[in-house]
Amino acid sequence: MASPSLVWLRDDLRLADNPALRAAIDRGEPLVVLFVLDEESPGIRPLGGAARWWLHHSLASLDDALRELGATLTLRRGPAERIVRETVADSSATAVFWNRRYGGAEREVDTALKAALRADGHEVTSFQASLLHEPWTVKTGGGTHFSVFTPFWRACLSLPTPRAPFPAPRSLAGVSQPPASDDLVDWDLLPTRPDWAGGLRDAWEPGEPAARTRLRTFLHDDIGSYDRARDEPSAGATSLLSPRLRWGELSPFTVWHAAVEADGAAGFLSELGWREFAWHTTFHAPDIATKNLRRQYDAFPWPRLKPSELEAWQRGDTGIPLVDAGMRELWRTGFMHNRVRMVTASFLVKNLLIDWRRGEEWFWDTLVDADGASNPFNWQWVAGSGADAAPYFRVFNPELQAKKFDPHGLYISEWASDAPTEPIVDLAATRKAALAAYEVVKRSSPVSG
Ligand code: FAD
């Protein structure tokens, strides 16, 4: 009698370069392919609205691809440890495969599950798939992890070249009677009342086939001008691969090897390096979304929150054109250009003096690429409390940033032509107040950087 292999997919919604899937295929037994919507395990962060939208469509695309090759996708909802064990039992699977995750709560789930399954006599194997380098393999000479990007990336580049990606399978042997599956529609991942996702639908096509097309187009059309134009939000010069990498529709190995020979690749690949750095930092500091990495910042004297100012920022009604353009792009499309993310984040933290965690939560809810490492890591970078962070006293001036990176106002007129023109705060005065608050932290305990 066949003893099926179960592949548990998580942030790796792809068929190509998927080591867990390949190992299961190589075992030669019929496959059960499982995805669990886990909103119940302790510490697992519930997905934001835009991420749920992406997940729905990416799962639908994956289901189509699996069916074409001869397998199906089993969808189940609940605490992952219980659900995976139940599905293993229901399907009489004897071997279980997954690709590793690096968030603290996720690792706890996976470790406990691995132990439980092995105790029940199952074979369980996990693989490196979503990072080019495992977080425990990149170390300083002193054996600690890096807290500064440049030496971190130099160390990564001195390691053996990331392995080559492998192609998608041509056919799959699914089990003849797949375990019971939820209906994707019943998960209510899509907004209905109201349906605010029109802009997302216009901007994106989730799923592995569209991700591969996007990678090809970027490499063909844009990578040559990436270094020169990547900071201009209206130039369309960046890859737009972040949600693809977030959901694992593409592996970083695929992106690395596709790009590495191109002219101008080094700058682009170092951005993949920032993604690695964010995840390595998170691996070592799993509470990055809630706790300052530099604990001195715990003394920062945040004034009482003014909800109207937070709302004006969220809606793109601050009267600061570049900030409003970015926040409106985000609301409409689930995405914002990196330079503008830095400017809008700096404005929230350093001109409105609102705790970076409130901004991080809003981005978490509204970004299609909302990522458990990159989002809090970058917020802390802007706030000054993070790894290799911009020092607190470096306050972006959004007007100068607009002159420099949107000199013809193309981005602002695309997104904020009807935004208010009266600023809700005075940039110079709020900058001074921020620096004074920073002095308090400095006096209470010296802050390096
Ligand atoms: P490209 O310029 O084409 O870069 C290629 C890839 O490198 C990206 O797809 C992404 O995977 C990675 N990358 C680039 N810059 C960074 C960075 N600074 N940190 C980590 N990875 C990077 N990125 C996310 O993927 N998810 C987030 O939740 C997220 N939140 C952010 C919050 C703030 C406040 C800031 C300032 C940045 C945030 N970023 C986040 C990083 C960056 O803005 C996006 O990765 C980038 O804008 C995505 O566009 P792209 O794919 O065209 O990037």
Side-chain angles (χ1 to χ4, degrees):
M1 213 176 80
S3 57
S5 303
L6 186 142
V7 186
W8 177 25
L9 296 179
R10 299 96 69 82
D11 301 327
D12 50 352
L13 305 180
R14 64 175 178 274
L15 301 182
D17 199 42
N18 189 322
L21 178 64
R22 185 171 78 166
I25 295 168
D26 286 350
R27 191 165 166 266
E29 300 289 352
L31 293 182
V32 174
V33 185
L34 172 69
F35 181 88
V36 181
L37 180 63
D38 183 358
E39 297 166 305
E40 293 173 48
S41 295
I44 297 278
R45 194 172 183 185
L47 295 172
R52 290 166 70 84
W53 177 87
W54 191 285
L55 175 63
H56 175 101
H57 292 293
S58 198
L59 287 173
S61 164
L62 182 67
D63 188 36
D64 287 347
L66 286 167
R67 279 175 201 278
E68 255 175 52
L69 296 186
T72 54
L73 184 60
T74 298
L75 299 174
R76 299 284 308 276
R77 179 180 207 158
E81 190 185 338
R82 173 166 71 72
I83 298 292
V84 175
R85 291 182 73 182
E86 276 174 17
T87 315
V88 165
D90 291 353
S91 59
S92 308
T94 50
V96 181
F97 301 89
W98 65 66
N99 295 314
R100 280 181 213 118
R101 306 188 284 187
Y102 301 93
E106 288 80 359
R107 274 158 56 212
E108 277 177 28
V109 169
D110 295 354
T111 306
L113 177 60
K114 195 181 261 186
L117 288 169
R118 283 188 177 155
D120 290 346
H122 299 292
E123 183 192 319
V124 187
T125 321
S126 64
F127 298 86
Q128 174 187 359
S130 69
L131 292 178
L132 298 169
H133 302 286
E134 295 286 32
W136 50 90
T137 61
V138 185
K139 289 190 191 142
T140 65
T144 57
H145 62 272
F146 286 95
S147 53
V148 178
F149 176 72
T150 304
F152 166 82
W153 192 230
R154 209 181 299 126
C156 290
L157 293 175
S158 72
L159 292 170
T161 308
R163 64 162 177 76
F166 46 87
R170 286 166 186 270
S171 68
L172 295 170
V175 287
S176 52
Q177 285 196 319
S181 172
D182 294 351
D183 194 335
L184 182 57
V185 175
D186 293 339
W187 281 1
D188 289 332
L189 296 172
L190 300 179
T192 46
R193 281 185 300 263
D195 172 11
W196 43 256
L200 276 64
R201 285 193 291 274
D202 292 344
W204 301 102
E205 184 184 350
E208 185 177 8
R212 299 186 78 80
T213 305
R214 177 61 207 152
L215 174 61
R216 268 199 306 277
T217 308
F218 169 68
L219 294 176
H220 186 264
D221 296 350
D222 300 316
I223 196 166
S225 58
Y226 181 82
D227 276 345
R228 181 177 48 77
R230 61 176 292 262
D231 269 322
E232 293 168 28
S234 69
T238 70
S239 69
L240 305 180
L241 291 177
S242 52
R244 320 308 191 158
L245 286 160
R246 155 66 184 92
W247 293 104
E249 296 169 354
L250 288 174
S251 86
F253 298 90
T254 297
V255 177
W256 173 278
H257 283 277
V260 73
E261 298 300 339
D263 280 343
F268 172 69
L269 294 177
S270 83
E271 296 307 318
L272 286 186
W274 278 99
R275 177 177 176 273
E276 298 274 314
F277 189 46
W279 270 109
H280 287 219
T281 304
T282 302
F283 178 82
H284 297 291
D287 50 9
I288 189 169
T290 51
K291 299 245 162 54
N292 291 311
L293 289 174
R294 296 181 189 208
R295 300 312 290 268
Q296 303 98 305
Y297 276 79
D298 291 354
F300 195 86
W302 299 109
R304 205 152 62 83
L305 176 71
K306 291 190 192 137
S308 62
E309 291 190 348
L310 177 60
E311 277 165 31
W313 178 80
Q314 291 171 336
R315 285 197 309 266
D317 280 344
T318 67
I320 307 290
L322 187 57
V323 172
D324 291 346
M327 298 309 293
R328 287 166 182 231
E329 180 190 18
L330 173 61
W331 181 249
R332 180 116 187 99
T333 68
F335 186 83
M336 193 197 299
H337 183 276
N338 180 58
R339 168 65 42 183
V340 193
R341 292 188 201 201
M342 291 195 281
V343 172
T344 54
S346 170
F347 180 78
L348 184 83
V349 176
K350 298 181 183 179
N351 293 103
L352 298 183
L353 276 183
I354 293 179
D355 191 323
W356 62 265
R357 282 159 276 234
R358 300 292 82 73
E360 196 274 343
E361 284 161 7
W362 182 253
F363 274 28
W364 180 259
D365 199 26
T366 50
L367 279 171
V368 287
D369 63 21
D371 178 284
S374 295
N375 195 41
F377 173 95
N378 279 288
W379 272 95
Q380 293 220 41
W381 184 89
V382 172
S385 60
D388 201 2
Y392 192 86
F393 53 79
R394 196 177 298 149
V395 179
F396 279 112
N397 178 324
E399 285 168 349
L400 293 182
Q401 291 283 311
K403 278 205 184 102
K404 194 163 172 199
F405 297 111
D406 190 30
H408 307 295
L410 295 176
Y411 178 75
I412 287 174
S413 63
E414 181 176 1
W415 293 107
S417 52
D418 59 344
T421 49
E422 190 62 36
I424 57 168
V425 289
D426 178 83
L427 291 176
T430 49
R431 177 176 186 277
K432 256 179 145 171
L435 295 182
Y438 171 68
E439 285 302 317
V440 175
V441 179
K442 246 173 59 178
R443 274 200 302 276
S444 64
S445 66
V447 179
S448 56

